[in-house]
Amino acid sequence: MNKKLKMGMVGGGQGAFIGSVHRFAAALDSEIELVCGAFSSSPEKAISSGKELGITDRRNYASYEEMFEQEMLLDEAERMDFVAIVTPNHMHYPVACAALNAGFHVISDKPATLDLDEAIKLSKLVNKTNLLFCLTHTYTGYPMVKEAKDIIRQGKLGKLRKVIVEYTQGWLSEAQDESNKQAAWRTNPAMSGISGCMGDIGSHAANLAEYITSESIEQLCAELTSFVPNRLLDDDGIALIKMSGDINGILHASQVATGEENNLTIRVYGEKGGLEWHQQEPNSLILKWLNEPMQILRTAGNNTSISLVNTRIPMGHPEGYLEAFANIYRNFAQAIRAYQQGKDASPQTFDYPGINDGVHGMAIIEGLVKSHQSDEKWFTLNN
């Protein structure tokens, strides 16, 4: 039996949402254990958070710089194998660079960096160090998303024509005060970057469209809006997109769609048929055919091995967000084990979002903003 991989964490302390999600996902398959961390930019809060999580005092660090420095001094059998970065966006790049330079693999919450320039620099460092980098685009981990990708890969829909993807939420429909930590940093350009809604959830929608179709967004025509008075970043956006493979599409994201929860939906249409998937009903994949009855495939049903290997429980039991997140962690863990054995550890082999996804994702965010600001109808991505 393989020993558990040892994970460190930067961010994700008291009051954070995504840190606990990463910890749940990492622990789900019993392949990974959290052994150390620097859980806040505040030294006091970092230490207090680590104590709550049961981290031993000698590996409960006041800063990420201290953590990398001290972990490097430990014996290989004890030191962490990789670090999870779960900070606001503006800290992704400096922490990832410090980790890679210290010799540690990285799994990071998305987006990869604050801007495209940082993403390109980070990509060069990943390649230079030859270490592994994973980006947690959660929704690629769902079994029926993988099923949809495989159906398209087999050509069952014929030549693809159109993609419609949208991600709507309503939680930012009103102005939020500073006590709402999640809203405070997401609406702050210094911490979030040049885009709010599109950077936060529009990037997920774009990544999902590219993952399922195995094609890339190449051009876009966007309009972004800040509906809430005095909000500095967009809280709504829509874009026409052109993808490789001569696919046209629509990308829509909103955090002011009042009453919506996490309504991520994608529809893909080809010459022979189409498919539809809803994140809020993730166990179903709808197939629509040109001259045949509609089908509904269910998770753990009579599907391909690709979706079944990403399912943990018998059909009919609800399985969702945390499990999808855990699939990314499991695949990354398997890639690290392969790396340690001198074997192929590529994202293509182990199916996890990598640094190239991070760079292209930042190019999309930057392209959406530039298209919105431009008088030109179409903006060509440069990455």
Side-chain angles (χ1 to χ4, degrees):
M1 179 178 178
N2 288 326
K3 292 183 179 179
K4 289 185 179 182
L5 293 175
K6 297 172 290 298
M7 180 177 80
M9 179 170 283
V10 177
Q14 295 164 341
F17 159 69
I18 203 65
S20 60
V21 173
H22 279 256
R23 290 189 290 269
F24 287 142
L28 191 58
D29 293 297
S30 299
E31 288 199 23
I32 298 166
E33 62 177 328
L34 179 66
V35 298
C36 63
F39 298 100
S40 175
S41 57
S42 161
E44 296 79 11
K45 192 173 181 180
I47 298 300
S48 177
S49 299
K51 288 182 180 293
E52 288 186 2
L53 293 169
I55 301 299
T56 182
D57 288 345
R58 69 185 183 88
R59 301 182 77 178
N60 187 16
Y61 301 106
S63 70
Y64 71 86
E65 295 96 338
E66 180 191 10
M67 181 172 79
F68 296 146
E69 180 181 344
Q70 293 301 313
E71 288 293 311
M72 288 173 63
L73 299 176
L74 296 177
D75 183 83
E76 184 177 350
E78 186 180 10
R79 79 170 75 108
M80 68 177 178
D81 294 296
F82 72 97
V83 63
I85 302 173
V86 293
T87 66
N89 300 352
H90 71 297
M91 291 303 297
H92 291 181
Y93 175 72
V95 178
C97 287
L100 292 166
N101 284 323
F104 298 111
H105 304 295
V106 173
I107 185 167
S108 174
D109 207 52
K110 64 89 218 153
T113 56
L114 189 68
D115 57 40
L116 178 57
D117 182 59
E118 286 185 349
I120 293 172
K121 291 178 181 176
L122 182 59
S123 176
K124 292 179 180 178
L125 183 58
V126 170
N127 292 329
K128 178 182 177 181
T129 60
N130 195 34
L131 292 166
L132 304 183
F133 180 92
C134 176
L135 198 63
T136 53
H137 273 297
T138 319
Y139 307 100
T140 63
Y142 277 102
M144 299 317 286
V145 166
K146 296 184 183 298
E147 186 79 17
K149 180 181 179 71
D150 192 56
I151 286 170
I152 290 173
R153 181 191 64 79
Q154 295 181 57
K156 292 183 179 180
L157 300 188
K159 186 183 184 304
L160 299 186
R161 292 170 169 170
K162 187 158 189 165
V163 175
I164 302 172
V165 62
E166 60 178 343
Y167 196 158
T168 53
Q169 302 172 333
W171 73 291
L172 289 178
S173 291
E174 297 178 322
Q176 305 284 332
D177 60 34
E178 289 296 321
S179 65
N180 187 331
K181 179 178 179 180
Q182 303 307 317
W185 76 259
R186 282 178 170 83
T187 56
N188 180 352
M191 300 179 75
S192 186
I194 60 174
S195 174
C197 174
M198 279 298 192
D200 190 19
I201 61 173
S203 58
H204 273 309
N207 178 262
L208 183 66
E210 294 187 324
Y211 178 78
I212 284 181
T213 63
S214 297
E215 302 288 352
S216 297
I217 296 173
E218 296 181 334
Q219 290 184 294
L220 44 81
C221 176
E223 179 177 357
L224 310 183
T225 307
S226 298
F227 279 108
V228 174
N230 301 316
R231 182 164 285 164
L232 299 179
L233 294 173
D234 56 283
D235 50 29
D236 183 273
I238 191 165
L240 300 175
I241 59 175
K242 291 182 179 180
M243 304 180 71
S244 56
D246 296 321
I247 302 169
N248 290 338
I250 300 170
L251 168 65
H252 170 223
S254 179
Q255 291 175 314
V256 293
T258 307
E260 294 288 358
E261 297 173 353
N262 275 283
N263 191 2
L264 173 60
T265 299
I266 186 167
R267 296 187 290 276
V268 182
Y269 301 101
E271 292 176 334
K272 300 177 183 178
L275 59 79
E276 182 175 337
W277 180 80
H278 300 261
Q279 198 266 154
Q280 294 184 164
E281 179 53 50
N283 285 7
S284 297
L285 177 65
I286 301 170
L287 298 177
K288 303 174 182 180
W289 304 108
L290 186 62
N291 295 307
E292 298 178 30
M294 183 181 76
Q295 292 178 279
I296 299 179
L297 303 184
R298 294 283 291 166
T299 299
N302 187 23
N303 307 319
T304 69
S305 59
I306 288 178
S307 62
L308 291 176
V309 77
N310 290 282
T311 305
R312 295 170 179 79
I313 53 180
M315 64 185 302
H317 295 282
E319 189 174 42
Y321 179 75
L322 291 176
E323 289 84 357
F325 220 110
N327 282 339
I328 294 175
Y329 261 94
R330 182 180 62 188
N331 290 352
F332 188 57
Q334 292 172 347
I336 291 176
R337 294 191 191 282
Y339 179 98
Q340 292 173 342
Q341 297 167 11
K343 299 178 181 178
D344 172 33
S346 67
Q348 294 74 23
T349 300
F350 290 97
D351 191 18
Y352 61 88
I355 188 59
N356 291 337
D357 298 278
V359 173
H360 189 61
M362 290 309 307
I364 290 172
I365 294 170
E366 184 175 288
L368 288 165
V369 173
K370 287 186 175 180
S371 172
H372 168 70
Q373 296 171 340
S374 174
D375 292 330
E376 297 292 331
K377 180 180 178 182
W378 287 97
F379 184 85
T380 299
L381 298 182
N382 180 23
N383 69 289

